[in-house]
Amino acid sequence: MKNSLSLLFLMALTSCNQQNPIQNTFIAKSDEYWRCYSSYSSSNSCYRFNDNNLYYAYSKNQEGLLSKMPDAPYMKESDQKWSVSQDSIMYWNNFFYDVVSYNDKAIVLTYQSKEKPYVYYIFLIKENERDLKKFPNDFEEKRIYNPEKYRLRK
C-alpha cells in the first residue's frame, strides 16, 4: 500500500513537470527563428522563444542579417514572458492569442478585436538563420517572380 501511494505521488509529480507539447513547438534551436507575419502587415521581426519562458525579438538589416532588438527601457523582463496553456491559449507580448494550428514549421495564432475584421491572424514561420528571407514580403512576391509556376493547365 505504501509503495502504491509513493508510486502514485511520483507519477503525479512528474506529469506536472512535463511541458505542454504545443509550447515545446515554439522553442526553436539556437540557429532558428520564428518570422512573424500577420493578416494586416508583414515585418522584418523575428522571435526566439526559449524554454525559460522568455522570448527575444530580432530584426533584419538591409543585408539580411539578424540582430537582437534593443530592450525597450519601459519593458521589464516580466514583459518578455510567454507561455501556452494546455487548452492552446498563448500569452505573449502582454496579449492572449488562440493557437489555431501548429507544427514544427508554422504556427497560426488568432485574436479578436473590436474593429473590423474583428478577427486577426498571426503566422509564425520557422526559418533557419542561414536561410532567412531577406525581405518580409518574399513569400508574397513568389507569384510575381515565378509566374510560369502559376499558369493554368488546360
Side-chain angles (χ1 to χ4, degrees), residues 10-153:
L10 183 62
M11 286 175 45
L13 185 64
T14 57
S15 66
C16 291
N17 288 337
Q18 292 179 349
Q19 220 173 15
N20 180 340
I22 301 172
Q23 186 160 321
N24 286 337
T25 303
F26 283 84
I27 300 170
K29 296 176 185 168
S30 62
D31 63 342
E32 295 175 331
Y33 299 84
W34 290 100
R35 172 69 71 98
C36 185
Y37 296 91
S38 68
S39 53
Y40 55 87
S41 72
S42 296
S43 71
N44 268 343
S45 297
C46 295
Y47 297 90
R48 181 176 287 145
F49 300 94
N50 293 332
D51 56 2
N52 63 358
N53 289 83
L54 294 177
Y55 73 90
Y56 298 95
Y58 296 82
S59 63
K60 293 187 78 171
N61 61 22
Q62 292 295 339
E63 291 79 39
L65 300 174
L66 280 176
S67 61
K68 188 176 174 194
M69 288 185 181
D71 294 332
Y74 55 86
M75 285 185 71
K76 302 175 283 198
E77 188 172 275
S78 61
D79 294 335
Q80 294 179 301
K81 287 196 177 284
W82 72 281
S83 63
V84 179
S85 67
Q86 291 290 347
D87 53 352
S88 69
I89 298 172
M90 181 183 195
Y91 175 76
W92 171 39
N93 208 16
N94 292 327
F95 292 101
F96 289 98
Y97 304 90
D98 289 313
V99 179
V100 176
S101 180
Y102 69 97
N103 61 37
D104 290 339
K105 296 181 182 182
I107 299 171
V108 180
L109 306 173
T110 185
Y111 64 97
Q112 293 186 341
S113 172
K114 293 180 181 178
E115 300 173 11
K116 282 187 176 181
Y118 303 116
V119 176
Y120 290 92
Y121 291 92
I122 295 176
F123 303 92
L124 299 174
I125 308 297
K126 188 183 283 184
E127 295 182 14
N128 191 291
E129 190 171 18
R130 296 179 305 276
D131 190 34
L132 286 170
K133 305 294 181 242
K134 189 166 184 179
F135 301 105
N137 55 353
D138 281 352
F139 288 114
E140 298 162 5
E141 293 184 358
K142 178 181 167 188
R143 185 177 291 265
I144 294 171
Y145 294 117
N146 301 289
E148 70 282 356
K149 295 181 180 181
Y150 297 93
R151 290 203 177 110
L152 293 175
R153 295 188 179 109

